[in-house]
Amino acid sequence: SEIDFWGLISSFYSRRIKRIFPALLSCLIISSVVLCFFNESPEYEIKSAITSVFGLSNIYFIKISMDYFSQTAEINPFMHTWSLGVEEQFYFLFPLIFWFSGFGANKKFSEKKLFIRIASLAFVSLIGFIFLFQNSQTLTYFFMPTRFWEIATGCLIFILFQKRKSIEEFIGKVPPIFILILIIGVMYLPMAWARASTVAVVILSAILIVSIKKGTISYVFFANPKIVYIGLISYSLY
């Protein structure tokens, strides 16, 4: 059925505000209060908290050239909000791409247009990630345009396997446990391999999602209500 643009936007953002902000604000308030007891000069940390409310902490970390793996980062309780900034900035862009492809209005060839546009932006994002990583790891790590390809992968999988069942069936022959072992193995590669590891984990995760089929042991495990519940509250836990 057709939906109007403002209906799409209001529904899209209301669901994400309800999911994100209660947990975020609780984390920021409690952590800020505790932080003030242990840190005499929490200037950078408090600024991190404030910018994270607006989904801009990742930009702030780029501005101050913060290295996620540095010792300074380890004592910042709001360092993890960088990913939320990337996610929220993606949320501002994706509904526009979705709508103007005609997908929301069920227009002819809308799936193809949406796939091409997302795939094109993801390709540019991936190229940017690969080439910028060598010269500016901080920018590459925190910047939404160089992270776009990772989030967009899920969208591409959804669209592609709506029509290409043969590809889905082919990938479905790969044992999920084998892919899971590969993902865990990649995570133990040295930091010098970080760029290749990131690409590999995203690709393997996409394959894992497609390979899980009803009736298999992996499906029973991942579809378990307790596992699903953990997935639903994963953001709050994080």
Side-chain angles (χ1 to χ4, degrees):
S1 60
E2 292 188 12
I3 55 176
D4 64 273
F5 179 74
W6 295 112
L8 168 69
I9 293 295
S10 60
S11 174
F12 185 83
Y13 288 127
S14 63
R15 291 199 304 270
R16 279 146 186 83
I17 288 172
K18 291 176 182 177
R19 180 175 69 89
I20 291 172
F21 278 90
L24 174 63
L25 294 177
S26 299
C27 172
L28 296 180
I29 293 170
I30 295 172
S31 298
S32 296
V33 171
V34 174
L35 177 69
C36 291
F37 286 104
F38 296 95
N39 191 335
E40 296 179 356
S41 303
E43 178 186 356
Y44 288 120
E45 289 81 2
I46 296 302
K47 284 184 178 179
S48 301
I50 294 172
T51 53
S52 68
V53 174
F54 302 97
L56 296 171
S57 60
N58 61 319
I59 303 298
Y60 174 67
F61 296 139
I62 293 173
K63 181 181 177 182
I64 64 174
S65 300
M66 176 67 75
D67 182 353
Y68 184 81
F69 299 99
S70 68
Q71 188 174 2
T72 306
E74 289 179 359
I75 61 175
N76 187 340
F78 309 114
M79 198 66 196
H80 64 294
T81 62
W82 74 268
S83 61
L84 182 61
V86 170
E87 185 179 342
E88 290 182 359
Q89 290 155 31
F90 178 85
Y91 286 160
F92 277 104
L93 180 62
F94 181 75
L96 299 177
I97 301 172
F98 178 86
W99 178 261
F100 289 108
S101 69
F103 195 89
N106 289 328
K107 292 183 179 179
K108 192 175 182 180
F109 303 121
S110 58
E111 282 189 5
K112 184 177 180 180
K113 290 179 181 177
L114 179 61
F115 183 85
I116 291 173
R117 291 176 186 182
I118 294 291
S120 300
L121 290 172
F123 178 75
V124 172
S125 172
L126 176 58
I127 296 300
F129 171 83
I130 292 172
F131 283 96
L132 286 175
F133 190 91
Q134 189 68 32
N135 299 319
S136 180
Q137 291 188 21
T138 296
L139 175 65
T140 308
Y141 194 93
F142 292 121
F143 202 34
M144 189 279 285
T146 52
R147 290 288 189 173
F148 180 92
W149 66 277
E150 295 174 285
I151 308 175
T153 299
C155 176
L156 295 175
I157 290 173
F158 173 78
I159 300 172
L160 181 63
F161 295 116
Q162 292 295 308
K163 300 293 183 181
R164 304 291 183 178
K165 294 296 182 182
S166 57
I167 301 177
E168 184 178 3
E169 290 172 1
F170 176 76
I171 295 177
K173 296 178 181 179
V174 181
I177 187 64
F178 174 70
I179 303 170
L180 192 58
I181 291 172
L182 286 178
I183 292 174
I184 296 172
V186 169
M187 291 180 179
Y188 282 94
L189 292 175
M191 283 299 298
W193 291 46
R195 179 169 48 182
S197 298
T198 302
V199 176
V201 165
V202 173
I203 293 174
L204 289 170
S205 297
I207 295 174
L208 177 63
I209 293 170
V210 177
S211 68
I212 297 174
K213 298 294 183 182
K214 287 185 177 180
T216 62
I217 296 176
S218 57
Y219 181 87
V220 172
F221 174 78
F222 286 110
N224 184 287
K226 293 181 180 179
I227 300 298
V228 172
Y229 177 73
I230 292 174
L232 292 173
I233 65 168
S234 59
Y235 168 75
S236 301
L237 287 174
Y238 176 63

